[in-house]
Amino acid sequence: MATMIIEGERAKAASGETYEIRNPASGELVDEVPKGGPVDVDRAARAALKAFETWSKLTAAKRREILHKAAAHMLSKVDEIAPLLTKEQGKTILESRIEAQRFGENIAWFADLADKIHGEHVTLPDLTTYGLVLRRPIGVCGAIVPWNFPLTLAANKVAPAIAAGNTVVLKPSSTTPLATLACVEALIEGGLPEGVVNVVLGQATGEAIVTHPLIRKVALTGSTPTGKRVMALAAANLKKLTLELGGSDPCIVLDDADLEAAARAISVGRFFNCGQACLAIKRLYVQEGAYDELLEKLVARASKLKVGDGLDPASRMGPMHTETQRAEVEAQVEEAVKRGARFAYGGGRPQGAGQAGNFLNPAILVDVPDDARMWKEEVFGPALPVRRIKDLDEGLKLANSTSFGLGSSIWTSSMAAAQRGVSELEAGYTWVNALQIAHDELPFGGTKESGFGKEHGLEAFYQYTEQKSVVYGGL
Ligand code: NAD
């Protein structure tokens, strides 16, 4: 049985309770894990505070060295960790390998920033005084992670936090804790001191982290309703927050675009991870002159996506993570179809795939009414609504017509049109003629109801520090 990790030790829940982790492709039992609660979070927060005393006082160069060594050790275990991620989450083994690799690389990327914290000297009106602005670590940070990218989204929080000298209480999603535990264990084996990263498990640990008085900052990736609840709870102790929430990313394709490249990026953007990505392309708006050709190319690509158990190397799309999630996407599609939408490709469940698995075919839908759920809500699965647009003005208006503002893309060979997209799309990220990849170097995060705060980049690192102004007098 897997356990939580508190102060470097394997820990059971104080209550003694456990729950099961099941494989989304087969329903088979993968493991049993502790069902932690507030008592376990309290233990983890105290362990993290104790570790903060020493971790934050190491030289930054030493922290960098420790993190590089720990990351290298974790990366040597990618081949063991990836199948575990596929078994608990469902994604294909290729996707799991990429994700496990990204975990280690992310720790190494932020390790390089550990000794590059810069402050400022500020001149003051009184020349016998001297002003400085310093940056210090915050303390114990909470990291709350969803099930769609358990490792990437954990590393996005843990890596900048510990590189800046903080310590962490990490809560994976209840249904995807196993690969995360394996990654953190590998970091500890590779030399990360005990208590710097603690892992608690169980649904109830989420609110316990948000309300724990020793935890000074919380970073959550999750749905928008969860973000609202967390923000309300965090108000009680005025906790710092980073909220990476839901998205319904629009993609606009104009007549003058490279349609082959666009089709490739849209297909990856919508169907990677079985469509369960916050920055997936969830709404497609195509100008009239490009519409038929692009649709044909998208259908050709979707038809090559073999749906099956993620452990089978031939599979290109695994099952959906849960039955509830599949039912939600099916309901969104059904509502559109009942109101006149048609399948340009796919739909339904694959024939012959394991009956116990949560498999769903990729689907491309046209003639979806403008007020259908698929345009207004987040579709967290492999179904893409496509709509004709007259011109860029119409595309931009439709693209901005939701409460979300995470990512967005535009495909065109016109610099002027691209620039309008960049300045007018209401989103934290705009890809122009590019695959939707969240680069380490660029700050990632949403606007509107997709949240606030950044992950990735120097910005994320600095969000795990706080500034202090200093006046030296009597000089
Ligand atoms: P979720 O909101 O249900 O859960 C996310 C995490 O929050 C889980 O660990 C969960 O246990 C925890 N949680 C739930 N309620 C909580 C509460 N009241 N207090 C504290 N913690 C709580 O989301 P999910 O279904 O696991 O993930 C899918 C959602 O995540 C989608 O909406 C997706 O768009 C979003 N997401 C956003 C990003 C981003 O970077 N913006 C990335 C990936 C996923």
Side-chain angles (χ1 to χ4, degrees), residues 144-148 153 171-174 203 206-207 210 220-224 226 229-230 233 244-247 278 282 378 380 406 444 450:
I144 304 179
V145 180
W147 49 262
N148 60 334
L153 298 171
K171 178 210 171 298
S173 172
S174 307
Q203 188 63 27
E207 293 208 355
V210 180
L220 163 86
T221 300
S223 65
T224 297
T226 301
R229 169 87 182 138
V230 163
L233 288 172
E244 294 287 355
L245 308 177
C278 57
K282 296 182 180 134
E378 179 176 36
F380 215 59
L406 195 56
F444 173 85
S450 291

Side-chain angles (χ1 to χ4, degrees), residues 212-226:
H212 198 288
L214 294 181
I215 298 177
R216 302 270 321 278
K217 166 175 172 131
V218 171
L220 163 86
T221 300
S223 65
T224 297
T226 301

Side-chain angles (χ1 to χ4, degrees), residues 72-276:
H73 184 70
M74 182 267 141
L75 285 168
S76 73
K77 302 210 159 207
V78 163
D79 286 346
E80 286 166 42
I81 294 170
L84 198 54
L85 180 56
T86 292
K87 280 190 211 157
E88 65 178 343
Q89 205 280 344
K91 62 183 68 197
T92 65
I93 191 71
L94 175 70
E95 291 165 333
S96 289
R97 274 210 195 92
I98 295 173
E99 200 179 335
Q101 186 79 23
R102 294 290 304 123
F103 184 98
E105 287 170 356
N106 208 335
I107 301 281
W109 197 87
F110 280 102
D112 278 333
L113 292 181
D115 57 356
K116 292 174 190 66
I117 297 181
H118 294 169
E120 281 172 62
H121 159 230
V122 180
T123 54
L124 299 178
D126 175 352
L127 293 181
T128 66
T129 63
Y130 187 79
L132 289 178
V133 185
L134 309 180
R135 282 188 182 272
R136 310 187 305 162
I138 298 167
V140 179
C141 298
I144 304 179
V145 180
W147 49 262
N148 60 334
F149 291 102
L151 304 185
T152 315
L153 298 171
N156 284 355
K157 299 162 183 54
V158 170
I162 60 181
N166 304 282
T167 55
V168 174
V169 177
L170 165 64
K171 178 210 171 298
S173 172
S174 307
T175 50
T176 52
L178 302 173
T180 310
L181 287 168
C183 288
V184 173
E185 254 174 34
L187 293 178
I188 294 170
E189 268 173 30
L192 186 72
E194 289 169 0
V196 173
V197 180
N198 306 273
V199 187
V200 292
L201 306 180
Q203 188 63 27
T205 56
E207 293 208 355
I209 287 175
V210 180
T211 52
H212 198 288
L214 294 181
I215 298 177
R216 302 270 321 278
K217 166 175 172 131
V218 171
L220 163 86
T221 300
S223 65
T224 297
T226 301
K228 290 179 181 175
R229 169 87 182 138
V230 163
M231 192 164 168
L233 288 172
N237 316 85
L238 291 178
K239 231 160 255 198
K240 294 179 198 302
L241 286 177
T242 297
L243 298 177
E244 294 287 355
L245 308 177
S248 179
D249 291 9
C251 174
I252 298 174
V253 182
L254 299 183
D255 285 348
D256 60 3
D258 175 343
L259 297 186
E260 195 55 52
R264 178 175 169 269
I266 293 161
S267 183
V268 175
R270 176 65 280 194
F271 300 119
F272 188 76
N273 210 39
C274 196
Q276 303 163 117

